[in-house]
Amino acid sequence: GENVEQHPSTLSVQEGDSAVIKCTYSDSASNYFPWYKQELGKGPQLIIDIRSNVGEKKDQRIAVTLNKTAKHFSLHITETQPEDSAVYFCAASKGAGNKLTFGGGTRVLVKP
Amino acid sequence: DAGITQSPRHKVTETGTPVTLRCHQTENHRYMYWYRQDPGHGLRLIHYSYGVKDTDKGEVSDGYSVSRSKTEDFLLTLESATSSQTSVYFCAISEGGGYGYTFGSGTRLTVV
């Protein structure tokens, strides 16, 4: 089955700096790659996603890039703010049923 | 999250007792999922449903069963709870392939 690896497991950045989280996937048939943000005591929340026919997608300070050849995708957060502190998960899926396989998560801490 | 609720939010139970967790949605989504979240393991799929009475196993299904008799309800049962099933359980819903999940707020289960 699909395997998704996520790095780093923890990331500490200064407020205003950029944060980058990287994920690799194993199944070349995967075609949908969402990112989730989980705040303490809450369920994960979808923040951005990308499909395999697109190389990059942006939404305000958040962007995701996809390299299908290398089978990796990345989340970029610019101008980080304290409220960006959370655990971020990448995921991958293919086809109907949309079973997502998640990476292990990255704990991001934005220091004021 | 609006449209999906989990109950109970917290539960402490004794080893060997049966436990049922409930997920209720008001979005009329076809797909429903149960994940468990443990430190160091991210989110792992237990079972999922692609319609009423249509369910299938995920990667960590041993010791768990599910039922979906109505579109809106997806029940997760631990037949005989063990300490290894102490975890945070998340339900999620989806419209289908190529769409992200909406997660519930989670159930923290402690087996003593």
Side-chain angles (χ1 to χ4, degrees), chain B residues 5-58:
Chain B
T5 55
Q6 291 185 234
S7 58
R9 289 296 312 276
H10 303 272
K11 186 171 182 64
V12 180
T13 192
E14 294 186 348
T15 299
T17 60
V19 177
T20 295
L21 309 182
R22 181 183 184 233
C23 179
H24 178 77
Q25 62 147 328
T26 58
E27 303 297 320
N28 202 36
H29 285 344
R30 177 182 177 187
Y31 296 92
M32 300 185 76
Y33 311 82
W34 278 107
Y35 281 82
R36 61 178 290 175
Q37 184 174 34
D38 304 289
H41 291 279
L43 293 154
R44 293 181 292 173
L45 182 64
I46 305 172
H47 281 280
Y48 66 102
S49 170
Y50 44 94
V52 173
K53 297 186 179 179
D54 290 324
T55 65
D56 206 348
K57 297 179 180 180

Side-chain angles (χ1 to χ4, degrees), chain B residues 5 103 110:
Chain B
T5 55
F103 281 89
T110 303

